Amino acid sequence: MSRTTPPRPFDVTAVFPQLAPLARTATRLHPRAGSPTPDDSSVGGPLRWPADEPWPYCTGPHEWDQFNDPSSPEDVREQRRIQTAAANRSRGNPRGVEYTPEEKAVLTRIYAGHPWPEGPIAMVPVAQLYRRDIPLLARPGGSDADLLQVLWCPFDHPEHPRTALFWRSATAVTDVLATPPEPPAVQTSDYVPAPSLLSPEEVTEYPHFMELDKELREQLADWDRWRAAGPAVDDSYAVAPQEFYGNKLSVAPGWKAGGWSRWGLTDPMPRLCSVCGAAMDPLLTIASTEWNAGSTSWAPEGDQARDPLPPGVPPANYTRVVVAGGYGLQLHVCPASTDHPHLELIQ
């Protein structure tokens, strides 16, 4: 099912023309539960991985975490299946969600956890993106690769999973690895993306408020200037109109490729390649939610009614991924070469 972001309240460049040359196109991915194949762009789906290429492992260190009991990926999937089945079966039940004795027994075993793993850990597929679906997907160094594969270690390093990027030509993979290895345990179920198909959609973004120059920030904070847009501007933002810009007009929430970086946890900082010093480009945002209370205007029409989630799952958390307590992990790449290390940014 395709998804379309509602139009923005108005063209912000009509009121602030200085923003026009700063516009960038981002591709919102709109991941939703599905059954992807290696030939699909996906989140948490199987990869078109060459059968003769070693699967990536993380050598650690993987330090014991007293606040989390590891689970196996298989148990994470079984727990989600049970929770979804029970929630669907209990709709309209005034007592809430009820589990069968058999389901309770399985959940009790899962909640008991697994031993903390030792040795290298097989990395987990996070996203696979074909350029046929995301034409504006960055290709560092002019690479002719048309397929990006993102994996991560399902343990913190130290505050979030460590990621690995692989660029390749899809047609060069003629023999696909049928049964990739899985880690014996994951630190948390939040690091096992639910298999999701994508509905890519291009949207226009403008820089985060904190990335603008001082003069433009002052203009955006002036309510009198916003009045030129008429009733399209929400009067409740009169005391802080820059928040109207941030919530509804600048950077799209959720999983996306390209566009502008989001800030808030920290002030903007330089994103420079550690090898050549080039300014790095936003590649992929791995989001904990597709939108939140401040960004509901970005939710595709009807999405909240169309995609119910089981109790206990955060709103709009369709991939079941939660990073750093609810933030997003933004990956940046050097435009000069795929061999240069990428940058991970939590915001």
Side-chain angles (χ1 to χ4, degrees):
M1 181 180 293
S2 63
R3 285 172 167 80
T4 303
T5 300
R8 298 300 81 205
F10 63 93
D11 179 6
V12 69
T13 63
V15 181
F16 303 97
Q18 304 95 315
L19 287 170
L22 303 177
R24 285 184 185 175
T25 299
T27 304
R28 301 190 71 191
L29 301 182
H30 298 307
R32 300 295 185 273
S35 300
T37 73
D39 295 324
D40 294 315
S41 291
S42 66
V43 164
L47 305 182
R48 189 177 180 84
W49 192 270
D52 60 354
E53 183 175 325
W55 188 262
Y57 280 73
C58 178
T59 58
H62 303 109
E63 299 180 359
W64 181 73
D65 179 358
Q66 61 178 322
F67 300 107
N68 286 292
D69 291 320
S71 298
S72 71
E74 182 180 357
D75 280 349
V76 170
R77 291 189 286 267
E78 179 67 4
Q79 177 183 345
R80 290 172 178 169
R81 186 196 66 76
I82 289 174
Q83 291 174 335
T84 300
N88 290 336
R89 189 176 61 241
S90 303
R91 291 191 190 282
N93 185 345
R95 294 186 298 273
V97 176
E98 295 185 329
Y99 296 98
T100 67
E102 294 77 14
E103 291 171 337
K104 290 179 180 179
V106 174
L107 292 176
T108 297
R109 177 187 61 77
I110 291 174
Y111 294 150
H114 283 247
W116 199 259
E118 297 181 358
I121 300 292
M123 301 189 85
V124 173
V126 176
Q128 174 169 269
L129 305 178
Y130 285 89
R131 291 198 77 248
R132 64 167 188 258
D133 301 319
I134 301 98
L136 297 180
L137 185 67
R139 288 192 298 180
S143 166
D144 60 359
D146 62 353
L147 178 60
L148 168 65
Q149 295 168 328
V150 181
L151 300 92
W152 67 18
C153 173
F155 290 84
D156 285 334
H157 291 271
E159 293 95 5
H160 58 78
R162 175 184 294 162
T163 56
L165 309 183
F166 296 86
W167 304 83
R168 63 178 83 252
S169 168
T171 57
V173 184
T174 55
D175 188 9
V176 177
L177 181 64
T179 308
E182 284 197 326
V186 297
Q187 182 170 329
T188 168
S189 62
D190 296 338
Y191 296 162
V192 181
S196 304
L197 290 166
L198 310 181
S199 298
E201 176 201 18
E202 293 183 357
V203 297
T204 300
E205 292 188 337
Y206 299 96
H208 190 279
F209 178 79
M210 291 192 291
E211 286 209 82
L212 301 172
D213 61 44
K214 180 180 178 181
E215 179 182 359
L216 191 46
R217 291 200 308 271
E218 290 175 348
Q219 292 180 14
L220 287 169
D222 183 354
W223 178 246
D224 288 337
R225 289 182 175 270
W226 285 92
R227 288 176 176 171
V233 181
D234 187 342
D235 287 343
S236 66
Y237 286 92
V239 295
Q242 67 271 23
E243 293 185 9
F244 181 82
Y245 171 78
N247 289 345
K248 300 179 183 292
L249 300 170
S250 59
V251 181
W255 288 69
K256 67 171 186 173
W260 282 95
S261 301
R262 178 175 292 278
W263 302 94
L265 185 61
T266 68
D267 288 344
M269 63 185 72
R271 284 84 75 206
L272 304 177
C273 176
S274 61
V275 174
C276 67
M280 304 184 81
D281 297 327
L283 174 69
L284 175 67
T285 296
I286 299 169
S288 294
T289 61
E290 286 298 284
W291 63 84
N292 58 28
S295 57
T296 54
S297 74
W298 293 91
E301 301 224 358
D303 240 22
Q304 297 183 55
R306 186 165 57 216
D307 295 306
L309 288 165
V313 178
N317 177 230
Y318 300 111
T319 64
R320 305 296 186 94
V321 167
V322 178
V323 180
Y327 290 95
L329 176 59
Q330 303 178 59
L331 307 183
H332 294 67
V333 290
C334 175
S337 173
T338 56
D339 294 328
H340 292 183
H342 65 286
L343 181 148
E344 300 169 334
L345 176 68
I346 289 286
Q347 291 291 329

